[in-house]
Amino acid sequence: MGVTEKLDDVPPGTDRLAFREWNDDDLDRFHAICSDPQVMKFVGDGQAWSRDRTGRFIHSAKEMFREHGYCQWALIHKVDGELIGYCGFVNSDDAPEIGWRLAPEYWGKGLATEAARAVLKHGIETLGFQRVIATVQAANVASIRIIEKLGMTQVERFDRDGREVLVYSADAGRLTSG
Ligand SMILES: CC(C)(COP(=O)(O)OP(=O)(O)OC[C@H]1O[C@@H](n2cnc3c(N)ncnc32)[C@H](O)[C@@H]1OP(=O)(O)O)[C@@H](O)C(=O)NCCC(=O)NCCS
């Protein structure tokens, strides 16, 4: 059905992280992340985002949350209360797609994996997703590692504007039973 009774739910927090809806006030901080070339290296065409593009992301996430009950939620680092990126889902023609983006100061601490596990659990157990996909550029080793740790399986490989893209899939039944 895709209709949930708890459309305003966000994933429960973890030891170190909390999820929340986006606010317009998030633009400055989130744009500092999206305008950093090292963050955007394996995202889309690899170009750092303009402030306008970052604003459109926040707007789309708010719309998606309202319409679908999920989005790429704002990710808060509990200890310092900082917005450190996002983790969540976007809808696609195929199945909800999981993704993440963190500020570089917070890389290498297992935070993206922690966030992704909480988001995937929320998608399956609360939102009732039967299947989740992930797309990643083949050169994005850290993201591929996270996807593998989630138990997802590669199902497709294609070229987009000269960049090799991999598609992974996870079946809810297999993940919850595994
Ligand atoms: C991808 C990203 C979210 C990873 O965040 P993170 O919090 O550092 O990830 P984690 O600490 O959970 O580690 C992920 C795994 O990748 C490994 N890893 C991290 N960087 C790596 C690198 N450069 N090369 C190889 N492995 C790497 C880690 O060792 C870890 O694996 P392990 O648990 O087996 O040791 C972060 O680098 C990021 O925001 N990148 C820019 C945005 C982006 O590319 N988003 C994804 C688009 S599909």
Side-chain angles (χ1 to χ4, degrees):
M1 296 281 288
V3 177
T4 158
E5 291 171 9
K6 296 178 169 184
L7 281 172
D8 57 349
D9 258 7
V10 300
T14 66
D15 286 350
R16 296 181 290 173
L17 298 167
F19 300 89
R20 67 158 168 77
E21 290 184 64
W22 291 91
N23 303 315
D24 291 335
D25 291 351
D26 293 329
L27 181 56
D28 285 346
R29 170 66 186 144
F30 190 51
H31 185 53
I33 298 171
C34 301
S35 57
D36 182 336
Q38 66 173 325
V39 173
M40 306 309 283
K41 187 172 175 190
F42 302 120
V43 178
D45 63 3
Q47 296 298 308
W49 280 4
S50 65
R51 191 177 170 82
D52 183 56
R53 177 69 190 84
T54 306
R56 279 188 277 125
F57 174 98
I58 293 175
H59 178 76
S60 299
K62 287 163 90 172
E63 289 290 300
M64 186 163 299
F65 190 45
R66 194 159 35 240
E67 279 177 33
H68 297 280
Y70 60 80
C71 68
Q72 294 172 313
W73 290 283
L75 189 61
I76 308 299
H77 191 238
K78 283 182 178 174
V79 170
D80 54 20
E82 279 282 344
L83 169 70
I84 63 166
Y86 74 73
C87 186
F89 300 105
V90 288
N91 66 332
S92 79
D93 293 342
D94 190 357
E97 178 176 337
I98 192 168
W100 38 75
R101 184 180 305 166
L102 267 62
E105 316 86 271
Y106 294 87
W107 291 358
K109 303 173 195 294
L111 289 169
T113 305
E114 189 171 313
R117 286 199 165 120
V119 160
L120 186 60
K121 185 172 158 65
H122 180 73
I124 292 170
E125 295 184 3
T126 302
L127 299 170
F129 297 159
Q130 294 303 304
R131 199 167 77 85
V132 170
I133 61 165
T135 62
V136 60
Q137 295 185 12
N140 194 346
V141 181
S143 270
I144 290 172
R145 183 76 193 112
I146 296 168
I147 290 167
E148 287 173 353
K149 287 197 286 181
L150 293 177
M152 303 182 84
T153 309
Q154 192 188 317
V155 291
E156 204 184 330
R157 175 187 291 262
F158 62 89
D159 181 277
R160 186 168 57 204
D161 302 327
R163 289 172 176 243
E164 189 179 10
V165 177
L166 310 178
V167 182
Y168 286 76
S169 172
D171 201 50
R174 199 179 68 78
L175 287 173
T176 46
S177 64

